[in-house]
Amino acid sequence: MRLLLCGRTVQPTRRIKKKNGIEYWYEETPYYDKEMKQIRHTSKYLGRNIDGEPVRMRVAPDEIKVKTKKKPVHVRSSFDYGSILTLQKVMEELHLDRHLLDILNPSEFAMVRALAFNRIIRPLAMKNVGTWYEGTSLALESPEITLSSQRISEFLGRVGDHDIPDRFMARILEGTGTKTTLIYDITSLSSYSQLINLLEYGYNRDGDSLPQINLSLILDKDKGIPVMYDIYPGSIADVSTLSGTLQKIRAQGIHDYIAIMDRGFFSQGNLEELLDHQLTFIMAAKLQLKDLKLLLTEAQKDIDDVKYLQKFNKDTIFVKPITYPLGSHLVQGYVYYDPKLEQSERETLRSRLYDIREELLKARLKKNSNPFVVFREKAQGFMNFFDWQVAGDRFEVTIKQNAVTQRMNRMGKYILFYSGEFDWITCLTLYRERDEIEKAFKDLKNEIDLLPLNTPSEKTTRGFIFVAFLSLIIRTRLIHKMREAGLVDKYSVELLLLQLDKLRKISLADGQVITTEMTKKQRDILEALKICA
C-alpha cells in the first residue's frame, strides 16, 4: 500500500523486532501528526519470523497464505496441542501408555488414547469423534488410524470381547504397590438399549426407571485414581458383589491393603469373609439388622457421657468403642454420635414427611387408578411413616409418631466396624474420604458423559466402559495435580484444558511443524503442573 506524505509517495516498511530471544515481523507506516507537527509511525504485527518470512501464529484456518514480498508462506493446518500435551503427560506419569502398549499394538493404542482424551476434553457422539481427532495434534502423531463410527464400534467390540481390561487393571494394581488404601463402591448405569444382556431392573441410584448395569469401582486413595472396575447385571445387590471383588484382588497377588466400604456392602457373610482372610478393613454397619439395633440401643444408653466426648474437624462428637460377636470372631468397632448431624437429619426428615403428606392430601384419584400404586409413588420410600386410607377420590393420611420416634432415636449415630490397628479418628477420617469415589462416579456420569449408555451390544458396552475407565483415571489424576498446584480455585478441568487449547501445532506447506507462542497463562498453568512443553 502506498501513501502520499508531504507531496511524496511512501511505502510502509517492514522490520524485525526481537523479544525474549524470538524474532517478530512488523510493518511500520509513516503518517503526519498535525497536532505534534511531526512525522510519526504506526506499527502493525505481521507474524513470527520463520525462515525470513512472517507467519501469524494465532490465526490458522485450514489454509492461510501469509503474503510476503518474496513469496507466500502456506500454513496448511493447525491442531489443538496444549490439552493433548497435558493429558499425555498425565498418562506418562502413571505409566498408562506403557501398560496399554504391553497389550495393544501401536494403532490400537492410538485409537484408545484418542477415545479416552475425547471423553475428557470434549465428549462427542462416536460419529463425530473422527472430526475432532483430525483437529488435534494426535492426528499428526498417528495419521494412520481412522475414527469412523463403524471402526470405533468394531474396536470397542474387540476390546469388550477380550481380556484387555483385566490385563490393563492387573498392570495398574501391580504398579500401586502391595500396601495401599482401596475404597470400594458401586453405581448404576442406565440404558434404553434392548441388545445388552446385562441390563436388568434393580435398585437405581439415579432414580431412573430404566434397566441398568451395575458398575463397581475401586479407588486407590493414596494415588487418588481408580485402579479397578467390574460390571454386574443390574439386579445384583451391592452386598453380593464383594466376594467376587476380593477374589480378583487376591488373584493379582495383593493381600496387604485397607478396604473402605459403605453400609451397602454390610452383611454378616461379608464380615466373616473379610475376617477369615485376615483383611484390614473399615465398614459402616447397616443398622436395620435386628442384632445391630440391639447393639446400638445398648451403646446409646450412655453415649453422651462426657468420657466419650471428642472433637473432629472442630465439632464435638461422642465416640464409644464396642465389640460385636460374630461366629468365632469378635469384631471391633466404634459407635459415633454427632449432635450436629442429628439436628440436621431430624429437620430433613420432618420437612420430607410434611411435603409428602401435603402432596398426598392434594392428590385426586382417577376412576381406574390403583390407590396403593399412587400412594407408593408419592411416598417415595417413606411408606412406613404413614397410616392412610381412601375416602372417595382422596387420601386421608396421618404421620405415624412411633415410626418417626424410632428413626429419630438413631439419627446422628452410626457404627464403623474395623479390622486392624485403628483408633477412632483414623477410622472416621478414612471412611469420610469415601467422598472421593462419589466424585469419581459423578465425573463418570456427568463430565465423561457415560450416561445414558447408547452402545449397540454388550461387547461394545464393555469396550466403551473400559475407555471411560481410562478417561476417569487420567481426569482424576489431573484434578489431583491441579489441587496440589493450587489451580482448582482458578480453573475447572474444562476451563483449564480450554485455555491450553490455544497452544497449537502448525503444519507448514513445506512439511515443517511448529508450535505457537505460549501465553503467560498457559506458561503459568504448565509450570504449576510441572509439565514441560
Side-chain angles (χ1 to χ4, degrees):
M1 180 175 66
R2 297 171 181 268
L3 297 176
L4 193 65
L5 186 64
C6 299
R8 292 184 301 152
T9 300
V10 296
Q11 287 184 319
T13 58
R14 296 193 311 165
R15 59 189 293 256
I16 292 176
K17 296 180 182 180
K18 199 169 186 179
K19 296 181 181 179
N20 298 323
I22 302 174
E23 294 182 339
Y24 303 94
W25 279 101
Y26 287 86
E27 181 182 81
E28 294 188 343
T29 304
Y31 71 94
Y32 183 72
D33 189 327
K34 294 181 180 180
E35 292 184 5
M36 302 296 293
K37 296 183 179 180
Q38 65 181 30
I39 295 174
R40 305 185 71 180
H41 294 79
T42 61
S43 184
K44 178 183 176 183
Y45 171 74
L46 296 177
R48 188 169 170 178
N49 182 25
I50 305 297
D51 295 334
E53 303 294 346
V55 177
R56 281 190 175 272
M57 306 306 292
R58 293 184 182 138
V59 180
D62 288 341
E63 180 74 10
I64 299 176
K65 294 183 180 179
V66 182
K67 295 183 179 179
T68 66
K69 187 175 180 180
K70 296 181 181 178
K71 60 181 180 179
V73 176
H74 293 271
V75 178
R76 182 175 296 164
S77 303
S78 71
F79 304 88
D80 296 344
Y81 173 61
S83 58
I84 301 297
L85 167 70
T86 302
L87 299 184
Q88 179 63 34
K89 291 296 184 182
V90 173
M91 280 193 76
E92 292 171 1
E93 177 189 333
L94 297 172
H95 307 301
L96 301 179
D97 50 345
R98 185 191 308 169
H99 297 329
L100 288 168
L101 284 168
D102 283 344
I103 54 181
L104 299 172
N105 64 45
S107 293
E108 291 172 331
F109 165 75
M111 185 172 285
V112 77
R113 179 182 60 177
L115 294 174
F117 282 10
N118 175 257
R119 305 318 297 173
I120 301 170
I121 297 171
R122 194 170 296 117
L124 296 170
M126 291 304 171
K127 63 181 180 180
N128 299 323
V129 172
T131 302
W132 168 83
Y133 177 78
E134 291 169 0
T136 72
S137 58
L138 292 172
L140 289 171
E141 183 180 337
S142 303
E144 76 282 359
I145 68 170
T146 302
L147 288 175
S148 65
S149 180
Q150 182 178 346
R151 289 294 300 277
I152 292 173
S153 183
E154 291 171 354
F155 173 70
L156 293 178
R158 288 199 305 274
V159 171
D161 198 33
H162 291 80
D163 61 351
I164 290 170
D166 289 335
R167 291 164 62 192
F168 177 70
M169 288 184 285
R171 283 161 174 76
I172 294 178
L173 285 167
E174 185 179 358
T176 62
T178 57
K179 179 71 175 177
T180 190
T181 303
L182 302 178
I183 305 173
Y184 180 59
D185 208 345
I186 197 163
T187 192
S188 310
L189 304 176
S190 304
S191 177
Y192 295 96
S193 176
Q194 298 180 354
L195 301 174
I196 303 174
N197 293 330
L198 288 169
L199 285 172
E200 294 178 355
Y201 286 96
Y203 169 64
N204 192 291
R205 295 148 189 86
D206 301 316
D208 294 333
S209 57
L210 292 171
Q212 65 190 29
I213 290 171
N214 286 337
L215 173 71
S216 69
L217 195 65
I218 291 181
L219 192 80
D220 180 340
K221 184 191 77 67
D222 303 317
K223 284 188 170 58
I225 60 170
V227 293
M228 186 177 175
Y229 74 93
D230 210 344
I231 305 170
Y232 302 91
S235 61
I236 299 294
D238 297 2
V239 69
S240 304
T241 66
L242 181 58
S243 179
T245 298
L246 295 176
Q247 289 179 21
K248 289 190 175 185
I249 294 175
R250 287 196 294 270
Q252 302 302 330
I254 298 175
H255 302 280
D256 191 10
Y257 62 91
I258 306 169
I260 314 293
M261 289 158 287
D262 196 5
R263 60 178 54 86
F265 301 99
F266 183 85
S267 71
Q268 292 180 339
N270 281 345
L271 271 183
E272 287 184 303
E273 179 166 5
L274 290 164
L275 293 166
D276 287 343
H277 287 91
Q278 298 182 337
L279 296 176
T280 305
F281 67 87
I282 297 170
M283 181 188 285
K286 188 178 290 184
L287 298 179
Q288 286 84 350
L289 300 179
K290 183 177 179 180
D291 52 350
L292 288 179
K293 285 183 181 179
L294 294 173
L295 185 64
L296 180 61
T297 299
E298 184 64 29
Q300 67 184 10
K301 289 179 180 179
D302 64 343
I303 187 67
D304 57 354
D305 193 305
V306 291
K307 66 183 178 183
Y308 300 127
L309 183 63
Q310 303 288 353
K311 263 197 172 183
F312 184 77
N313 291 340
K314 299 182 180 180
D315 291 326
T316 56
I317 63 170
F318 297 87
V319 185
K320 183 177 181 179
I322 58 169
T323 55
Y324 175 45
L326 181 64
S328 60
H329 301 287
L330 200 61
V331 190
Q332 303 298 315
Y334 295 102
V335 177
Y336 297 86
Y337 169 43
D338 184 340
K340 190 173 180 180
L341 176 62
E342 178 185 32
Q343 183 179 358
S344 172
E345 288 180 343
R346 286 185 174 219
E347 181 56 34
T348 299
L349 178 62
R350 292 189 192 105
S351 177
R352 193 75 190 96
L353 292 178
Y354 174 85
D355 290 342
I356 292 173
R357 184 184 66 185
E358 296 304 300
E359 186 71 20
L360 286 166
L361 290 174
K362 288 188 297 184
R364 296 294 178 268
L365 296 168
K366 296 180 180 179
K367 185 175 181 180
N368 296 321
S369 62
N370 184 324
F372 176 78
V373 172
V374 176
F375 173 77
R376 183 180 59 190
E377 289 177 352
K378 293 188 177 297
Q380 299 176 17
F382 289 83
M383 293 174 60
N384 294 335
F385 289 94
F386 293 95
D387 282 323
W388 63 282
Q389 61 183 10
V390 176
D393 64 344
R394 299 169 181 260
F395 285 107
E396 291 182 352
V397 181
T398 57
I399 299 173
K400 298 194 301 191
Q401 182 59 49
N402 286 342
V404 174
T405 301
Q406 289 178 18
R407 173 66 67 87
M408 286 189 172
N409 284 340
R410 300 201 305 267
M411 285 183 172
K413 305 174 186 75
Y414 48 95
I415 298 175
L416 296 180
F417 287 117
Y418 68 92
S419 174
E421 298 298 323
F422 297 119
D423 57 19
W424 71 268
I425 195 167
T426 304
C427 266
L428 186 55
T429 300
L430 288 174
Y431 183 74
R432 290 280 180 90
E433 288 179 354
R434 284 188 62 264
D435 290 347
E436 292 299 317
I437 205 163
E438 295 296 335
K439 292 174 185 174
F441 281 138
K442 184 179 178 181
D443 286 348
L444 260 180
K445 295 179 179 182
N446 300 329
E447 309 304 335
I448 295 174
D449 209 15
L450 188 58
L451 289 180
L453 288 169
N454 291 318
T455 43
S457 68
E458 185 172 322
K459 291 190 297 185
T460 53
T461 298
R462 290 181 178 276
F464 181 57
I465 290 175
F466 173 68
V467 168
F469 173 68
L470 177 59
S471 302
L472 185 62
I473 296 174
I474 299 167
R475 193 178 193 278
T476 51
R477 182 57 184 169
L478 176 57
I479 292 172
H480 186 75
K481 290 173 71 68
M482 290 171 63
R483 192 177 294 122
E484 288 181 335
L487 294 174
V488 290
D489 294 332
K490 299 178 182 178
Y491 300 97
S492 63
V493 171
E494 291 70 31
L495 187 57
L496 180 135
L497 294 176
L498 187 63
Q499 184 66 240
L500 291 174
D501 262 345
K502 299 173 187 176
L503 182 63
R504 304 177 70 79
K505 287 280 189 184
I506 303 294
S507 172
L508 302 180
D510 61 2
Q512 291 187 79
V513 177
I514 59 176
T515 306
T516 60
E517 306 159 41
M518 193 181 299
T519 66
K520 184 180 185 304
K521 284 185 178 180
Q522 293 164 358
R523 185 176 293 107
D524 290 344
I525 290 171
L526 294 178
E527 287 178 356
L529 295 175
K530 299 178 182 178
I531 292 175
C532 297

